[in-house]
Amino acid sequence: MSTAETPDADVIVVGAGPTGLMLAGDLATAGVATTIVERRAEGSNLTRAFGVHARTLEQLDARGLADELVATGSPVRQLQLFDSVHLDLGRLPSRFPYLLITPQSNVERLLRVRAERAGVTFRTGQAVVGVRQDADHAQIELADGSTLRASYVVGADGVHSTVRDAIGQPFPGRSVIKSIMLADVRLDHAPEGVLAVNAVGDCFAFVAPFGDGWFRIFAWDRLNQQPESAPLEFEEVRAVAKRALGTDYGMHDPRWMSRFHSDERQVPQYRVGRVFLAGDAAHVHSPAGGQGMNTGLQDAANLSWKLAAAVRGTAAPALLDSYQAERHPVGRLVLRSSGAIIRMAMVERRPARIARNLIAGTLLKFRPAARKATGVISGIGIDYPAQPGTHKLTGQRAPDVALAGDPARLYEALRSGGFVLVAPGQSLHEAAAPWADRVTVVTPSDSSTPTMLVRPDAYIAWAADEADATQVAAALTASCGAAATSDRLVSHIGGASAGHQQHVDPAARPGADA
């Protein structure tokens, strides 16, 4: 591959599902020239994901999208695992203490509009057949014989990822459930709650609303596991749902039916040179807990700002490697947690199910156990490893700190797309002035709040209970790169008064929905 050619983009994202759209929108909003390549000519009409968890809603809040998405769905504050065992999501320490039930298509719609507004180039109906790279660039080869070149390529092209195969990454694992039946139907009467879900040993069923009068049915029958190619009769779906739920809710008029299987798989490496994997291209697992789409979106949030820093030349050499260090353990955790839920739900013998319910129900009555379980499933309790000797907040999810002035909340300040320094004193604000092109500085309403440098993905990069200007400057250099030159700062700040950070109005930026 010649390195003398002009790249077609800074980053090429393969796959226009939720993960790819989030990633591309973030990059373009940060000023990175981004192209999405998608093999489908039009968006898919298949929705498998229906739940958006609290941490994902927080990530969308930091992009100005959460409130619009929440308006499309219904909140569920108790998540049923099996029989009478529930998780109480209402106690989550979040602005979104619930699971939002809304189809994946709604998430994709909002993310696509954002990406288009931010200037992402879309190349649809083009299949990727190969990937090559050298020390300076990566290149994708398309089925029509053409090529596209960029500084980096991200494979967000799903479980059958061409990018993953092209870079020689194995996808070890195994099938967990075979012959899950899917059907979109009408119901004579909807479930009393937003969701209906239950397992009775030899079968389980799950009912979720699209929000437009249609419902998606997931059903599985231990006694009749057919290959995915086997014809699916509506009566089979209805009979299994009735066995599992005690009623079929008067389902009728199916508009679509299919079978699929669920795997547990994860690639060993999320990064190979200038090529990265995210979402289902990197990890797949059972649908239990509704964590699939959510994990992919959080992969994108973690990777996007790091790639943007690398393109701008402000990234430390190890920054891109931290994507593997931070997200691979999370993928492994989700495989284990969702696998444990589905295996417990599939317990066949009645005595074992009674014991399962007793043990799980008892454990979840203890606040620490319940907090850990809800934290993992919702994503709220997932943190990243920190170096020894750093502040206890380092690597943790940033809480939505109340701020003095406008914006009123930390997650509104994060809509600038860059780092946010939460600092209580004017001297600390002045110390951060040389990084005004990358950092928004805000003042917490509570003066006892620790000084925190918050990453664009809403995790804490550095914190101190009592900080001085020297410490702040050192933290900014370590996380955000060297201070900008005076000419660059004048260009960025314009007429802003000396010694004060510019507060960016998210509504004024292309691609931002306030």
Side-chain angles (χ1 to χ4, degrees), residues 149-479:
R149 230 164 139 263
S151 295
Y152 301 97
V153 168
V154 181
D157 49 341
V159 63
H160 302 295
S161 171
T162 300
V163 175
R164 184 185 64 236
D165 292 342
I167 61 175
Q169 275 290 286
F171 206 29
R174 59 177 179 171
S175 293
V176 183
I177 314 175
K178 298 179 180 179
S179 195
I180 298 178
M181 297 173 282
L182 302 179
D184 292 350
V185 302
R186 297 281 192 183
L187 301 181
D188 284 340
H189 50 281
E192 291 184 8
V194 177
L195 297 179
V197 57
N198 198 34
V200 293
D202 61 1
C203 65
F204 69 72
F206 173 83
V207 181
F210 278 100
D212 59 358
W214 289 94
F215 291 78
R216 168 63 55 81
I217 309 297
F218 295 73
W220 175 78
D221 185 359
R222 187 192 303 275
L223 306 178
N224 186 28
Q225 300 187 55
Q226 299 291 326
E228 292 181 27
S229 58
L232 177 58
E233 299 295 333
F234 178 50
E235 185 55 40
E236 182 181 353
V237 178
R238 185 161 52 189
V240 174
K242 188 170 184 178
R243 277 165 51 204
L245 302 170
T247 176
D248 63 9
Y249 295 103
M251 64 179 69
H252 58 90
D253 294 332
R255 64 178 179 182
W256 174 82
M257 295 187 296
S258 182
R259 299 183 194 267
F260 80 101
H261 71 279
S262 177
D263 287 355
E264 288 179 347
R265 301 184 184 277
Q266 185 179 27
V267 295
Q269 296 295 324
Y270 284 17
R271 178 191 185 186
V272 176
R274 291 181 169 270
V275 182
F276 298 79
L277 299 171
D280 286 354
H283 48 76
V284 294
H285 47 82
S286 88
Q291 299 169 84
M293 177 180 68
N294 293 270
T295 306
L297 289 171
Q298 290 165 50
D299 287 346
N302 182 285
L303 180 58
S304 60
W305 68 271
K306 297 173 181 179
L307 283 175
V311 169
R312 290 193 298 258
T314 60
L319 183 61
L320 291 179
D321 287 334
S322 72
Y323 174 61
Q324 164 80 14
E326 292 180 344
R327 293 305 299 173
H328 192 276
V330 173
R332 186 169 61 246
L333 174 65
V334 172
L335 258 71
R336 289 174 177 173
S337 63
S338 63
I341 293 171
I342 198 66
R343 286 171 175 81
M344 286 190 287
M346 293 169 61
V347 169
E348 184 174 5
R349 297 185 180 278
R350 179 174 173 78
R353 296 203 307 272
I354 293 172
R356 172 201 65 191
N357 295 347
L358 178 62
I359 294 170
T362 301
L363 281 174
L364 292 178
K365 289 179 181 178
F366 290 95
R367 186 68 62 86
R371 184 165 54 244
K372 184 175 180 62
T374 56
V376 169
I377 287 181
S378 68
I380 292 295
I382 291 176
D383 301 326
Y384 296 139
Q387 293 295 322
T390 56
H391 192 279
K392 63 183 180 180
L393 293 177
T394 305
Q396 292 191 14
R397 157 195 167 269
D400 196 8
V401 175
L403 306 177
D406 184 23
R409 301 183 290 113
L410 171 60
Y411 280 69
E412 292 177 340
L414 283 165
R415 295 174 189 174
S416 67
F419 281 76
V420 174
L421 179 67
V422 181
Q426 183 60 34
S427 64
L428 301 184
H429 287 223
E430 293 170 354
W435 287 268
D437 60 328
R438 279 157 280 167
V439 180
T440 299
V441 183
V442 295
T443 303
S445 297
D446 183 352
S447 60
S448 66
T449 301
T451 300
M452 299 183 296
L453 179 60
V454 181
R455 303 176 352 176
D457 60 352
Y459 284 86
I460 299 170
W462 170 85
D465 293 322
E466 295 182 5
D468 59 31
T470 301
Q471 291 174 312
V472 167
L476 290 169
T477 301
S479 294

Side-chain angles (χ1 to χ4, degrees), residues 69-81:
L69 184 65
V70 168
T72 70
S74 302
V76 173
R77 288 179 167 78
Q78 276 203 337
L79 185 62
Q80 183 174 337
L81 300 180

Side-chain angles (χ1 to χ4, degrees), residues 95-165:
R95 184 170 176 246
F96 308 99
Y98 48 77
L99 171 68
L100 180 71
I101 301 303
T102 191
Q104 175 180 318
S105 55
N106 287 335
V107 179
E108 290 188 4
R109 175 179 54 81
L110 290 177
L111 291 174
R112 186 180 182 98
V113 168
R114 174 178 180 254
E116 290 172 342
R117 289 178 178 173
V120 172
T121 299
F122 282 80
R123 298 191 59 158
T124 58
Q126 300 193 23
V128 174
V129 296
V131 179
R132 299 169 60 200
Q133 60 177 313
D134 57 27
D136 301 309
H137 295 93
Q139 176 177 290
I140 63 170
E141 301 167 355
L142 302 175
D144 64 4
S146 63
T147 61
L148 291 175
R149 230 164 139 263
S151 295
Y152 301 97
V153 168
V154 181
D157 49 341
V159 63
H160 302 295
S161 171
T162 300
V163 175
R164 184 185 64 236
D165 292 342

